[in-house]
Amino acid sequence: QYVEGDDPNPPAFLKDDDLSDWLTTIQSGFPAAADRAMERWQTTHAETWLVAALSTLEFSHPKTAELIAQGLNVKPGSAAFASARFHAIRLLIETGKYDEARQVLDQILKNNRAQFDESSLNLLTSKRLLVARTLDEFLTYAPRVPAALSWNDDGREIPADDESVSTEMKDMKGQPRFDYDAGMSINRQMPLSVLKVAGKNTSLPVALRRDLAQAVWLRAAMLGDTKTADEFVPVLSALVPELAPLLNEYLTATTPQAKKASAIYAWLKFPGLEPVVDLGIGRRTPLNQQDSYRDNWWCGAAFYPTEGDNESEVIAFTGRATHPLLFLSAAEKAAGEREWNTLVPKGAAPNYISQQVVQWATRTPDDPRVPEALHLAVTTTRFGCTDENTGRASKAAFDLLHRKYPNSPWAKKTKYWFNN
């Protein structure tokens, strides 16, 4: 694999036979790989070299248009058909020819599905997602079923054989998920005005509808959009009935501060809630139970301020390609960016939750929920994901609980506060 600073040309002996030449060209990443592939394609007119040229070509190459046309001319019966079509579509999208890419994709997905395996179909679907013209189109291509599953214990990501597949993994097989592309677009680009429409779309599988609905409601509550949060109470109650009593408390609260307190209380009691949808397999523990691997109270938020986009650590099972959604208006794009940039600086969720509970307890100390909320706030700093500021937040909630409510059962249950 070529690394910047290496000799920019592959060793000459690798060109001695066609197979070695092809393998080196398509795999090495040498800067001259695309030109070499083009040279061999023009000399041999072999479809193997056409595939090499298409897969190594950057969209800015002067021969891009010619290669796209050649790739689209490969016949369905050819072994090169799948690769040639995929890379022709990739280049069409990268050159901004969305309508042409969409037309080719729709034709393939309608007429040639049998020529693609599950993994390849996922790749095509991910490209179709990128050129969605409407929210409904986006949601049509957002669910993705993994072609295979395995535990990545050794870092090799080798699919498990049938005998070694656990019962849990068998239960997950065939279930649609949001992959990286759809999840990142939902989480980081769509504003609440669009998300609330998406969250009511009944074409999504139930599990994804549930995940989207909880994200919309909690995000709206955190951002103070009480109108959207109220609107989503019946939607989320229908999908998560066990959460309904707490959602009704939110609905009946009469002031923004009271609504924020009710939302925080519900979040404390349901550690699986988070203002984002899961990427990939996601959290498997029920929303009202603590996850044994600390994936509680929006665990991912702990990593944004210090390590950048922690979602980049998620392995995509189709592709990472994302770009601004075509169907969003300029105002919607700006709103989506603004809302995301408001959520992320809140940092590790246990810190934010603890701060909110302390403010709530200071504002309405006689609220009967407060002692339990302070206890649960300390709990989040033990079983959620934390950062260097968590100890301060944990101690503040702990101290207030023991100072103001020393005889409550919740103070007796809270023997320690926790540092990072």
Side-chain angles (χ1 to χ4, degrees), residues 212-236:
L212 183 53
Q214 65 84 33
V216 174
W217 180 79
L218 184 56
R219 179 176 294 211
M222 290 178 69
L223 293 174
D225 184 348
T226 56
K227 182 179 179 181
T228 297
D230 283 351
E231 186 179 333
F232 251 77
V233 164
V235 177
L236 186 53

mmCIF file with all atom_site columns, all heavy atoms in Angstrom, residues 212-236:
data_model
loop_
_atom_site.group_PDB
_atom_site.id
_atom_site.type_symbol
_atom_site.label_atom_id
_atom_site.label_alt_id
_atom_site.label_comp_id
_atom_site.label_asym_id
_atom_site.label_entity_id
_atom_site.label_seq_id
_atom_site.pdbx_PDB_ins_code
_atom_site.Cartn_x
_atom_site.Cartn_y
_atom_site.Cartn_z
_atom_site.occupancy
_atom_site.B_iso_or_equiv
_atom_site.pdbx_formal_charge
_atom_site.auth_seq_id
_atom_site.auth_comp_id
_atom_site.auth_asym_id
_atom_site.auth_atom_id
_atom_site.pdbx_PDB_model_num
ATOM 1   N N   . LEU A 1 212 ? -36.080 6.580  16.144 1.00 0.00 ? 212 LEU A N   1
ATOM 2   C CA  . LEU A 1 212 ? -36.207 7.944  15.634 1.00 0.00 ? 212 LEU A CA  1
ATOM 3   C C   . LEU A 1 212 ? -37.137 8.775  16.507 1.00 0.00 ? 212 LEU A C   1
ATOM 4   O O   . LEU A 1 212 ? -36.845 9.946  16.811 1.00 0.00 ? 212 LEU A O   1
ATOM 5   C CB  . LEU A 1 212 ? -36.711 7.897  14.189 1.00 0.00 ? 212 LEU A CB  1
ATOM 6   C CG  . LEU A 1 212 ? -36.840 9.225  13.447 1.00 0.00 ? 212 LEU A CG  1
ATOM 7   C CD1 . LEU A 1 212 ? -35.541 10.019 13.493 1.00 0.00 ? 212 LEU A CD1 1
ATOM 8   C CD2 . LEU A 1 212 ? -37.250 8.983  11.999 1.00 0.00 ? 212 LEU A CD2 1
ATOM 9   N N   . ALA A 1 213 ? -38.241 8.188  16.952 1.00 0.00 ? 213 ALA A N   1
ATOM 10  C CA  . ALA A 1 213 ? -39.200 8.934  17.774 1.00 0.00 ? 213 ALA A CA  1
ATOM 11  C C   . ALA A 1 213 ? -38.593 9.361  19.103 1.00 0.00 ? 213 ALA A C   1
ATOM 12  O O   . ALA A 1 213 ? -38.785 10.505 19.552 1.00 0.00 ? 213 ALA A O   1
ATOM 13  C CB  . ALA A 1 213 ? -40.454 8.086  18.007 1.00 0.00 ? 213 ALA A CB  1
ATOM 14  N N   . GLN A 1 214 ? -37.840 8.451  19.752 1.00 0.00 ? 214 GLN A N   1
ATOM 15  C CA  . GLN A 1 214 ? -37.242 8.840  21.021 1.00 0.00 ? 214 GLN A CA  1
ATOM 16  C C   . GLN A 1 214 ? -36.184 9.927  20.828 1.00 0.00 ? 214 GLN A C   1
ATOM 17  O O   . GLN A 1 214 ? -36.049 10.830 21.661 1.00 0.00 ? 214 GLN A O   1
ATOM 18  C CB  . GLN A 1 214 ? -36.656 7.618  21.753 1.00 0.00 ? 214 GLN A CB  1
ATOM 19  C CG  . GLN A 1 214 ? -35.493 6.913  21.096 1.00 0.00 ? 214 GLN A CG  1
ATOM 20  C CD  . GLN A 1 214 ? -34.148 7.555  21.403 1.00 0.00 ? 214 GLN A CD  1
ATOM 21  O OE1 . GLN A 1 214 ? -33.944 8.099  22.492 1.00 0.00 ? 214 GLN A OE1 1
ATOM 22  N NE2 . GLN A 1 214 ? -33.240 7.511  20.442 1.00 0.00 ? 214 GLN A NE2 1
ATOM 23  N N   . ALA A 1 215 ? -35.464 9.862  19.700 1.00 0.00 ? 215 ALA A N   1
ATOM 24  C CA  . ALA A 1 215 ? -34.456 10.892 19.418 1.00 0.00 ? 215 ALA A CA  1
ATOM 25  C C   . ALA A 1 215 ? -35.110 12.248 19.193 1.00 0.00 ? 215 ALA A C   1
ATOM 26  O O   . ALA A 1 215 ? -34.623 13.272 19.692 1.00 0.00 ? 215 ALA A O   1
ATOM 27  C CB  . ALA A 1 215 ? -33.636 10.489 18.187 1.00 0.00 ? 215 ALA A CB  1
ATOM 28  N N   . VAL A 1 216 ? -36.212 12.256 18.461 1.00 0.00 ? 216 VAL A N   1
ATOM 29  C CA  . VAL A 1 216 ? -36.908 13.519 18.183 1.00 0.00 ? 216 VAL A CA  1
ATOM 30  C C   . VAL A 1 216 ? -37.428 14.135 19.482 1.00 0.00 ? 216 VAL A C   1
ATOM 31  O O   . VAL A 1 216 ? -37.243 15.329 19.747 1.00 0.00 ? 216 VAL A O   1
ATOM 32  C CB  . VAL A 1 216 ? -38.064 13.306 17.187 1.00 0.00 ? 216 VAL A CB  1
ATOM 33  C CG1 . VAL A 1 216 ? -38.877 14.584 17.023 1.00 0.00 ? 216 VAL A CG1 1
ATOM 34  C CG2 . VAL A 1 216 ? -37.530 12.859 15.833 1.00 0.00 ? 216 VAL A CG2 1
ATOM 35  N N   . TRP A 1 217 ? -38.069 13.305 20.311 1.00 0.00 ? 217 TRP A N   1
ATOM 36  C CA  . TRP A 1 217 ? -38.652 13.848 21.542 1.00 0.00 ? 217 TRP A CA  1
ATOM 37  C C   . TRP A 1 217 ? -37.580 14.390 22.482 1.00 0.00 ? 217 TRP A C   1
ATOM 38  O O   . TRP A 1 217 ? -37.691 15.523 22.968 1.00 0.00 ? 217 TRP A O   1
ATOM 39  C CB  . TRP A 1 217 ? -39.473 12.777 22.278 1.00 0.00 ? 217 TRP A CB  1
ATOM 40  C CG  . TRP A 1 217 ? -40.056 13.338 23.543 1.00 0.00 ? 217 TRP A CG  1
ATOM 41  C CD1 . TRP A 1 217 ? -41.163 14.133 23.649 1.00 0.00 ? 217 TRP A CD1 1
ATOM 42  C CD2 . TRP A 1 217 ? -39.525 13.204 24.873 1.00 0.00 ? 217 TRP A CD2 1
ATOM 43  N NE1 . TRP A 1 217 ? -41.363 14.501 24.965 1.00 0.00 ? 217 TRP A NE1 1
ATOM 44  C CE2 . TRP A 1 217 ? -40.362 13.943 25.724 1.00 0.00 ? 217 TRP A CE2 1
ATOM 45  C CE3 . TRP A 1 217 ? -38.428 12.540 25.405 1.00 0.00 ? 217 TRP A CE3 1
ATOM 46  C CZ2 . TRP A 1 217 ? -40.148 14.028 27.107 1.00 0.00 ? 217 TRP A CZ2 1
ATOM 47  C CZ3 . TRP A 1 217 ? -38.197 12.613 26.772 1.00 0.00 ? 217 TRP A CZ3 1
ATOM 48  C CH2 . TRP A 1 217 ? -39.054 13.352 27.616 1.00 0.00 ? 217 TRP A CH2 1
ATOM 49  N N   . LEU A 1 218 ? -36.535 13.613 22.741 1.00 0.00 ? 218 LEU A N   1
ATOM 50  C CA  . LEU A 1 218 ? -35.524 14.070 23.692 1.00 0.00 ? 218 LEU A CA  1
ATOM 51  C C   . LEU A 1 218 ? -34.762 15.274 23.133 1.00 0.00 ? 218 LEU A C   1
ATOM 52  O O   . LEU A 1 218 ? -34.449 16.216 23.868 1.00 0.00 ? 218 LEU A O   1
ATOM 53  C CB  . LEU A 1 218 ? -34.553 12.937 24.034 1.00 0.00 ? 218 LEU A CB  1
ATOM 54  C CG  . LEU A 1 218 ? -33.517 13.282 25.106 1.00 0.00 ? 218 LEU A CG  1
ATOM 55  C CD1 . LEU A 1 218 ? -34.188 13.749 26.403 1.00 0.00 ? 218 LEU A CD1 1
ATOM 56  C CD2 . LEU A 1 218 ? -32.594 12.106 25.388 1.00 0.00 ? 218 LEU A CD2 1
ATOM 57  N N   . ARG A 1 219 ? -34.464 15.260 21.835 1.00 0.00 ? 219 ARG A N   1
ATOM 58  C CA  . ARG A 1 219 ? -33.769 16.401 21.240 1.00 0.00 ? 219 ARG A CA  1
ATOM 59  C C   . ARG A 1 219 ? -34.618 17.670 21.384 1.00 0.00 ? 219 ARG A C   1
ATOM 60  O O   . ARG A 1 219 ? -34.103 18.736 21.758 1.00 0.00 ? 219 ARG A O   1
ATOM 61  C CB  . ARG A 1 219 ? -33.459 16.131 19.767 1.00 0.00 ? 219 ARG A CB  1
ATOM 62  C CG  . ARG A 1 219 ? -32.760 17.294 19.073 1.00 0.00 ? 219 ARG A CG  1
ATOM 63  C CD  . ARG A 1 219 ? -32.367 16.957 17.643 1.00 0.00 ? 219 ARG A CD  1
ATOM 64  N NE  . ARG A 1 219 ? -31.353 15.927 17.584 1.00 0.00 ? 219 ARG A NE  1
ATOM 65  C CZ  . ARG A 1 219 ? -30.430 15.842 16.634 1.00 0.00 ? 219 ARG A CZ  1
ATOM 66  N NH1 . ARG A 1 219 ? -30.386 16.738 15.670 1.00 0.00 ? 219 ARG A NH1 1
ATOM 67  N NH2 . ARG A 1 219 ? -29.547 14.862 16.635 1.00 0.00 ? 219 ARG A NH2 1
ATOM 68  N N   . ALA A 1 220 ? -35.907 17.561 21.091 1.00 0.00 ? 220 ALA A N   1
ATOM 69  C CA  . ALA A 1 220 ? -36.795 18.716 21.222 1.00 0.00 ? 220 ALA A CA  1
ATOM 70  C C   . ALA A 1 220 ? -36.838 19.215 22.661 1.00 0.00 ? 220 ALA A C   1
ATOM 71  O O   . ALA A 1 220 ? -36.783 20.429 22.920 1.00 0.00 ? 220 ALA A O   1
ATOM 72  C CB  . ALA A 1 220 ? -38.201 18.355 20.734 1.00 0.00 ? 220 ALA A CB  1
ATOM 73  N N   . ALA A 1 221 ? -36.910 18.279 23.613 1.00 0.00 ? 221 ALA A N   1
ATOM 74  C CA  . ALA A 1 221 ? -36.951 18.669 25.023 1.00 0.00 ? 221 ALA A CA  1
ATOM 75  C C   . ALA A 1 221 ? -35.657 19.352 25.445 1.00 0.00 ? 221 ALA A C   1
ATOM 76  O O   . ALA A 1 221 ? -35.678 20.361 26.161 1.00 0.00 ? 221 ALA A O   1
ATOM 77  C CB  . ALA A 1 221 ? -37.214 17.438 25.886 1.00 0.00 ? 221 ALA A CB  1
ATOM 78  N N   . MET A 1 222 ? -34.514 18.823 25.011 1.00 0.00 ? 222 MET A N   1
ATOM 79  C CA  . MET A 1 222 ? -33.226 19.419 25.369 1.00 0.00 ? 222 MET A CA  1
ATOM 80  C C   . MET A 1 222 ? -33.058 20.805 24.760 1.00 0.00 ? 222 MET A C   1
ATOM 81  O O   . MET A 1 222 ? -32.465 21.702 25.368 1.00 0.00 ? 222 MET A O   1
ATOM 82  C CB  . MET A 1 222 ? -32.082 18.509 24.920 1.00 0.00 ? 222 MET A CB  1
ATOM 83  C CG  . MET A 1 222 ? -31.955 17.218 25.699 1.00 0.00 ? 222 MET A CG  1
ATOM 84  S SD  . MET A 1 222 ? -30.606 16.162 25.068 1.00 0.00 ? 222 MET A SD  1
ATOM 85  C CE  . MET A 1 222 ? -29.158 17.134 25.544 1.00 0.00 ? 222 MET A CE  1
ATOM 86  N N   . LEU A 1 223 ? -33.565 20.978 23.541 1.00 0.00 ? 223 LEU A N   1
ATOM 87  C CA  . LEU A 1 223 ? -33.411 22.263 22.849 1.00 0.00 ? 223 LEU A CA  1
ATOM 88  C C   . LEU A 1 223 ? -34.496 23.264 23.227 1.00 0.00 ? 223 LEU A C   1
ATOM 89  O O   . LEU A 1 223 ? -34.493 24.394 22.734 1.00 0.00 ? 223 LEU A O   1
ATOM 90  C CB  . LEU A 1 223 ? -33.415 22.041 21.337 1.00 0.00 ? 223 LEU A CB  1
ATOM 91  C CG  . LEU A 1 223 ? -32.217 21.273 20.768 1.00 0.00 ? 223 LEU A CG  1
ATOM 92  C CD1 . LEU A 1 223 ? -32.421 20.989 19.284 1.00 0.00 ? 223 LEU A CD1 1
ATOM 93  C CD2 . LEU A 1 223 ? -30.918 22.045 20.985 1.00 0.00 ? 223 LEU A CD2 1
ATOM 94  N N   . GLY A 1 224 ? -35.431 22.849 24.090 1.00 0.00 ? 224 GLY A N   1
ATOM 95  C CA  . GLY A 1 224 ? -36.478 23.761 24.525 1.00 0.00 ? 224 GLY A CA  1
ATOM 96  C C   . GLY A 1 224 ? -37.584 23.956 23.513 1.00 0.00 ? 224 GLY A C   1
ATOM 97  O O   . GLY A 1 224 ? -38.373 24.910 23.619 1.00 0.00 ? 224 GLY A O   1
ATOM 98  N N   . ASP A 1 225 ? -37.677 23.078 22.523 1.00 0.00 ? 225 ASP A N   1
ATOM 99  C CA  . ASP A 1 225 ? -38.752 23.140 21.539 1.00 0.00 ? 225 ASP A CA  1
ATOM 100 C C   . ASP A 1 225 ? -39.945 22.372 22.110 1.00 0.00 ? 225 ASP A C   1
ATOM 101 O O   . ASP A 1 225 ? -40.215 21.221 21.740 1.00 0.00 ? 225 ASP A O   1
ATOM 102 C CB  . ASP A 1 225 ? -38.294 22.540 20.210 1.00 0.00 ? 225 ASP A CB  1
ATOM 103 C CG  . ASP A 1 225 ? -39.337 22.673 19.107 1.00 0.00 ? 225 ASP A CG  1
ATOM 104 O OD1 . ASP A 1 225 ? -40.491 23.028 19.413 1.00 0.00 ? 225 ASP A OD1 1
ATOM 105 O OD2 . ASP A 1 225 ? -38.994 22.401 17.935 1.00 0.00 ? 225 ASP A OD2 1
ATOM 106 N N   . THR A 1 226 ? -40.655 23.002 23.026 1.00 0.00 ? 226 THR A N   1
ATOM 107 C CA  . THR A 1 226 ? -41.725 22.314 23.743 1.00 0.00 ? 226 THR A CA  1
ATOM 108 C C   . THR A 1 226 ? -42.896 21.956 22.829 1.00 0.00 ? 226 THR A C   1
ATOM 109 O O   . THR A 1 226 ? -43.590 20.959 23.065 1.00 0.00 ? 226 THR A O   1
ATOM 110 C CB  . THR A 1 226 ? -42.230 23.175 24.908 1.00 0.00 ? 226 THR A CB  1
ATOM 111 O OG1 . THR A 1 226 ? -42.656 24.450 24.402 1.00 0.00 ? 226 THR A OG1 1
ATOM 112 C CG2 . THR A 1 226 ? -41.122 23.401 25.933 1.00 0.00 ? 226 THR A CG2 1
ATOM 113 N N   . LYS A 1 227 ? -43.102 22.742 21.779 1.00 0.00 ? 227 LYS A N   1
ATOM 114 C CA  . LYS A 1 227 ? -44.194 22.436 20.851 1.00 0.00 ? 227 LYS A CA  1
ATOM 115 C C   . LYS A 1 227 ? -43.962 21.089 20.173 1.00 0.00 ? 227 LYS A C   1
ATOM 116 O O   . LYS A 1 227 ? -44.868 20.240 20.112 1.00 0.00 ? 227 LYS A O   1
ATOM 117 C CB  . LYS A 1 227 ? -44.323 23.545 19.813 1.00 0.00 ? 227 LYS A CB  1
ATOM 118 C CG  . LYS A 1 227 ? -45.462 23.328 18.832 1.00 0.00 ? 227 LYS A CG  1
ATOM 119 C CD  . LYS A 1 227 ? -45.564 24.471 17.822 1.00 0.00 ? 227 LYS A CD  1
ATOM 120 C CE  . LYS A 1 227 ? -46.694 24.216 16.830 1.00 0.00 ? 227 LYS A CE  1
ATOM 121 N NZ  . LYS A 1 227 ? -46.792 25.307 15.824 1.00 0.00 ? 227 LYS A NZ  1
ATOM 122 N N   . THR A 1 228 ? -42.734 20.873 19.657 1.00 0.00 ? 228 THR A N   1
ATOM 123 C CA  . THR A 1 228 ? -42.424 19.601 19.004 1.00 0.00 ? 228 THR A CA  1
ATOM 124 C C   . THR A 1 228 ? -42.429 18.457 20.007 1.00 0.00 ? 228 THR A C   1
ATOM 125 O O   . THR A 1 228 ? -42.930 17.364 19.728 1.00 0.00 ? 228 THR A O   1
ATOM 126 C CB  . THR A 1 228 ? -41.062 19.677 18.296 1.00 0.00 ? 228 THR A CB  1
ATOM 127 O OG1 . THR A 1 228 ? -41.128 20.662 17.250 1.00 0.00 ? 228 THR A OG1 1
ATOM 128 C CG2 . THR A 1 228 ? -40.663 18.344 17.695 1.00 0.00 ? 228 THR A CG2 1
ATOM 129 N N   . ALA A 1 229 ? -41.867 18.703 21.199 1.00 0.00 ? 229 ALA A N   1
ATOM 130 C CA  . ALA A 1 229 ? -41.847 17.649 22.218 1.00 0.00 ? 229 ALA A CA  1
ATOM 131 C C   . ALA A 1 229 ? -43.262 17.252 22.616 1.00 0.00 ? 229 ALA A C   1
ATOM 132 O O   . ALA A 1 229 ? -43.576 16.055 22.752 1.00 0.00 ? 229 ALA A O   1
ATOM 133 C CB  . ALA A 1 229 ? -41.053 18.119 23.432 1.00 0.00 ? 229 ALA A CB  1
ATOM 134 N N   . ASP A 1 230 ? -44.153 18.237 22.806 1.00 0.00 ? 230 ASP A N   1
ATOM 135 C CA  . ASP A 1 230 ? -45.552 17.926 23.121 1.00 0.00 ? 230 ASP A CA  1
ATOM 136 C C   . ASP A 1 230 ? -46.197 17.125 21.989 1.00 0.00 ? 230 ASP A C   1
ATOM 137 O O   . ASP A 1 230 ? -46.931 16.157 22.222 1.00 0.00 ? 230 ASP A O   1
ATOM 138 C CB  . ASP A 1 230 ? -46.345 19.222 23.332 1.00 0.00 ? 230 ASP A CB  1
ATOM 139 C CG  . ASP A 1 230 ? -46.090 19.868 24.689 1.00 0.00 ? 230 ASP A CG  1
ATOM 140 O OD1 . ASP A 1 230 ? -45.434 19.224 25.528 1.00 0.00 ? 230 ASP A OD1 1
ATOM 141 O OD2 . ASP A 1 230 ? -46.548 21.002 24.887 1.00 0.00 ? 230 ASP A OD2 1
ATOM 142 N N   . GLU A 1 231 ? -45.921 17.536 20.770 1.00 0.00 ? 231 GLU A N   1
ATOM 143 C CA  . GLU A 1 231 ? -46.496 16.885 19.598 1.00 0.00 ? 231 GLU A CA  1
ATOM 144 C C   . GLU A 1 231 ? -46.078 15.421 19.510 1.00 0.00 ? 231 GLU A C   1
ATOM 145 O O   . GLU A 1 231 ? -46.822 14.570 18.998 1.00 0.00 ? 231 GLU A O   1
ATOM 146 C CB  . GLU A 1 231 ? -46.041 17.651 18.354 1.00 0.00 ? 231 GLU A CB  1
ATOM 147 C CG  . GLU A 1 231 ? -46.643 17.228 17.051 1.00 0.00 ? 231 GLU A CG  1
ATOM 148 C CD  . GLU A 1 231 ? -46.138 18.076 15.888 1.00 0.00 ? 231 GLU A CD  1
ATOM 149 O OE1 . GLU A 1 231 ? -45.764 19.247 16.123 1.00 0.00 ? 231 GLU A OE1 1
ATOM 150 O OE2 . GLU A 1 231 ? -46.102 17.559 14.760 1.00 0.00 ? 231 GLU A OE2 1
ATOM 151 N N   . PHE A 1 232 ? -44.874 15.119 20.033 1.00 0.00 ? 232 PHE A N   1
ATOM 152 C CA  . PHE A 1 232 ? -44.350 13.756 19.908 1.00 0.00 ? 232 PHE A CA  1
ATOM 153 C C   . PHE A 1 232 ? -44.689 12.863 21.093 1.00 0.00 ? 232 PHE A C   1
ATOM 154 O O   . PHE A 1 232 ? -44.359 11.676 21.078 1.00 0.00 ? 232 PHE A O   1
ATOM 155 C CB  . PHE A 1 232 ? -42.837 13.793 19.675 1.00 0.00 ? 232 PHE A CB  1
ATOM 156 C CG  . PHE A 1 232 ? -42.481 13.404 18.276 1.00 0.00 ? 232 PHE A CG  1
ATOM 157 C CD1 . PHE A 1 232 ? -42.654 14.298 17.253 1.00 0.00 ? 232 PHE A CD1 1
ATOM 158 C CD2 . PHE A 1 232 ? -42.050 12.128 17.978 1.00 0.00 ? 232 PHE A CD2 1
ATOM 159 C CE1 . PHE A 1 232 ? -42.386 13.950 15.948 1.00 0.00 ? 232 PHE A CE1 1
ATOM 160 C CE2 . PHE A 1 232 ? -41.765 11.751 16.683 1.00 0.00 ? 232 PHE A CE2 1
ATOM 161 C CZ  . PHE A 1 232 ? -41.938 12.663 15.662 1.00 0.00 ? 232 PHE A CZ  1
ATOM 162 N N   . VAL A 1 233 ? -45.322 13.388 22.099 1.00 0.00 ? 233 VAL A N   1
ATOM 163 C CA  . VAL A 1 233 ? -45.702 12.546 23.235 1.00 0.00 ? 233 VAL A CA  1
ATOM 164 C C   . VAL A 1 233 ? -46.592 11.382 22.802 1.00 0.00 ? 233 VAL A C   1
ATOM 165 O O   . VAL A 1 233 ? -46.305 10.218 23.137 1.00 0.00 ? 233 VAL A O   1
ATOM 166 C CB  . VAL A 1 233 ? -46.365 13.389 24.346 1.00 0.00 ? 233 VAL A CB  1
ATOM 167 C CG1 . VAL A 1 233 ? -47.098 12.495 25.341 1.00 0.00 ? 233 VAL A CG1 1
ATOM 168 C CG2 . VAL A 1 233 ? -45.307 14.219 25.069 1.00 0.00 ? 233 VAL A CG2 1
ATOM 169 N N   . PRO A 1 234 ? -47.674 11.594 22.055 1.00 0.00 ? 234 PRO A N   1
ATOM 170 C CA  . PRO A 1 234 ? -48.482 10.428 21.646 1.00 0.00 ? 234 PRO A CA  1
ATOM 171 C C   . PRO A 1 234 ? -47.751 9.483  20.707 1.00 0.00 ? 234 PRO A C   1
ATOM 172 O O   . PRO A 1 234 ? -47.962 8.256  20.758 1.00 0.00 ? 234 PRO A O   1
ATOM 173 C CB  . PRO A 1 234 ? -49.705 11.064 20.961 1.00 0.00 ? 234 PRO A CB  1
ATOM 174 C CG  . PRO A 1 234 ? -49.308 12.453 20.629 1.00 0.00 ? 234 PRO A CG  1
ATOM 175 C CD  . PRO A 1 234 ? -48.305 12.868 21.655 1.00 0.00 ? 234 PRO A CD  1
ATOM 176 N N   . VAL A 1 235 ? -46.871 10.016 19.850 1.00 0.00 ? 235 VAL A N   1
ATOM 177 C CA  . VAL A 1 235 ? -46.113 9.163  18.921 1.00 0.00 ? 235 VAL A CA  1
ATOM 178 C C   . VAL A 1 235 ? -45.190 8.232  19.699 1.00 0.00 ? 235 VAL A C   1
ATOM 179 O O   . VAL A 1 235 ? -45.176 7.012  19.492 1.00 0.00 ? 235 VAL A O   1
ATOM 180 C CB  . VAL A 1 235 ? -45.291 10.026 17.936 1.00 0.00 ? 235 VAL A CB  1
ATOM 181 C CG1 . VAL A 1 235 ? -44.454 9.129  17.020 1.00 0.00 ? 235 VAL A CG1 1
ATOM 182 C CG2 . VAL A 1 235 ? -46.193 10.932 17.117 1.00 0.00 ? 235 VAL A CG2 1
ATOM 183 N N   . LEU A 1 236 ? -44.435 8.809  20.636 1.00 0.00 ? 236 LEU A N   1
ATOM 184 C CA  . LEU A 1 236 ? -43.483 8.004  21.406 1.00 0.00 ? 236 LEU A CA  1
ATOM 185 C C   . LEU A 1 236 ? -44.199 7.106  22.398 1.00 0.00 ? 236 LEU A C   1
ATOM 186 O O   . LEU A 1 236 ? -43.764 5.975  22.645 1.00 0.00 ? 236 LEU A O   1
ATOM 187 C CB  . LEU A 1 236 ? -42.491 8.930  22.116 1.00 0.00 ? 236 LEU A CB  1
ATOM 188 C CG  . LEU A 1 236 ? -41.329 8.272  22.850 1.00 0.00 ? 236 LEU A CG  1
ATOM 189 C CD1 . LEU A 1 236 ? -40.553 7.322  21.944 1.00 0.00 ? 236 LEU A CD1 1
ATOM 190 C CD2 . LEU A 1 236 ? -40.385 9.340  23.437 1.00 0.00 ? 236 LEU A CD2 1
#
